[in-house]
Amino acid sequence: MNASQVTSADGTAIAYERYGYGPPLIVVGGATCDRAKTRPTAQALGRRLATLNYDRRGRGASGDTAPYAVERELEDLAALIAAAGGSAALYGHSSGAGLVLHAVAAGLPVTRFVLHDPPYVPDDEAMKREARAYATELDSLLAADRHGDAVALFFRTTGMPDEMVDVVRQEPGWASLERLAPTLAYDSAVMGDASHGGVVPADVVARADKPGLVLCGGENPAFMREVGEQVSSLLPNGELRVLDGQGHVVPPELLAPIVAEYVVGEQ
C-alpha cells in the first residue's frame, strides 16, 4: 500500500496511511510492530475516525536518524498531528501506550488518548532488576549485530516459552522481525527499563492531563491489571476499562468501537 510521508524535526521521513473520516486519531504500535501489523486495527477505527497509521522510526518505510532519543519519537508524533489537522487523539498499544503517555505529558496537542495494556512492571525490586538486566543484555546483543538473539530475548522476556521461540525462529516472518530488532531498544527506552526499572513513571503520568482511557485485558496476568489500575488512578483525568475475556491482543472488531466511542464521546 502506498504511504504518505511527513518530515520530523530532525529530517527523518515518517511514513503513514490514512483511513476514514471524522475526528482524527493516530495509532501507535508497540514493540516488533510496523504499520502492517497495526493496519487491521487502523482500518476498523477508520469506520468512525480519520485514522493515521504510521511506521515508527526505524520501521517499515520510515527512516531513522542516530542517535535515538524518546524526544525524537515525540517530534515524529508532532509532525503527524500537524498532518492530521493540528490536534488529534492518540491510541497506543503495549509500549506504544508508553510513547503516547510521554507525548501527552510533553504537551503535544492531543484531544484524548487511550493507553492499551501499558507494559510497566510493578514497583518490585526483583522485577525492576529484571527490566534493567533485559535492557543491558538487549544493548549487548544489538551492539554485536545478533539481531535474531535480540528478538528471541524480547519474546522470552515477555513470557514466550523457549520451545515456542525456537518454533517462531523457523517461520518465514522471522527475517522481518530481525529487521525490527534495533527498535526494541527504542521501546525499552520509552518504557524506562534501564533508567527506572520499567515501573510506572508517576511524574510523567501526572503531567498527562488530557482525558485518558486505560484499557486492560481481563485475561492478562494479575500484575498487568494492577499496573492498569495504577496508571488510571494517577492520571489527572483518567478512567479504566477492563476488557473481559481478552488478553494482550484484542480483535479489531471488538477493540475499535470501544476506542472510537471514547474518542468521539465528548468533542
Side-chain angles (χ1 to χ4, degrees):
M1 176 175 291
N2 293 331
S4 300
Q5 283 189 345
V6 294
T7 302
S8 194
D10 69 349
T12 302
I14 302 297
Y16 72 95
E17 307 160 352
R18 190 189 302 261
Y19 297 97
Y21 301 92
L25 170 77
I26 298 172
V27 174
V28 185
T32 74
C33 289
D34 56 15
R35 76 178 195 275
K37 290 275 187 69
T38 52
R39 185 174 294 139
T41 295
Q43 290 174 328
L45 286 163
R47 295 176 190 136
R48 291 187 64 185
L49 304 168
T51 304
L52 273 62
N53 179 42
Y54 79 108
D55 283 323
R56 288 172 58 187
R57 61 174 51 213
R59 313 178 193 211
S62 288
D64 202 2
T65 304
Y68 175 80
V70 175
E71 289 76 13
R72 302 294 79 77
E73 290 218 67
L74 301 188
E75 292 166 355
D76 301 345
L77 276 171
L80 288 161
I81 291 172
S87 64
L90 302 180
Y91 162 78
H93 179 249
S94 197
S95 52
L99 184 57
V100 166
L101 192 59
H102 280 286
V104 181
L108 270 63
V110 175
T111 55
R112 296 189 144 215
F113 63 99
V114 179
L115 309 177
H116 186 179
D117 276 350
Y120 297 106
V121 303
D123 194 1
D124 172 85
E125 288 303 321
M127 296 193 77
K128 288 192 289 186
R129 283 196 299 273
E130 288 178 11
R132 292 190 175 101
Y134 164 74
T136 299
E137 186 175 358
L138 177 64
D139 286 347
S140 296
L141 291 172
L142 293 174
D145 290 327
R146 294 170 57 188
H147 289 185
D149 290 337
V151 177
L153 171 67
F154 168 74
F155 282 146
R156 289 197 304 271
T157 301
T158 55
M160 184 179 288
D162 287 345
E163 57 271 20
M164 183 60 69
V165 173
D166 292 340
V167 170
V168 175
R169 291 190 80 145
Q170 305 307 314
E171 294 180 350
W174 186 257
S176 63
L177 289 171
E178 287 194 357
R179 287 192 292 272
L180 291 171
T183 66
L184 291 172
Y186 303 175
D187 288 280
S188 183
V190 166
M191 299 310 298
D193 291 335
S195 60
H196 57 273
V199 298
V200 174
D203 57 333
V204 176
V205 179
R207 296 197 304 272
D209 58 358
K210 299 297 174 61
L213 173 66
V214 180
L215 296 178
C216 183
E219 296 303 309
N220 284 337
F223 82 87
M224 292 183 68
R225 296 195 297 275
E226 292 168 6
V227 163
E229 292 170 358
Q230 181 183 1
V231 173
S232 64
S233 67
L234 291 171
L235 286 170
N237 195 0
E239 59 183 274
L240 174 71
R241 179 164 177 176
V242 176
L243 303 178
D244 292 334
Q246 299 299 316
H248 190 55
V249 178
V250 178
E253 63 272 15
L254 189 154
L255 175 67
I258 296 170
V259 174
E261 179 182 355
Y262 183 76
V263 170
V264 175
E266 296 181 12
Q267 293 297 313

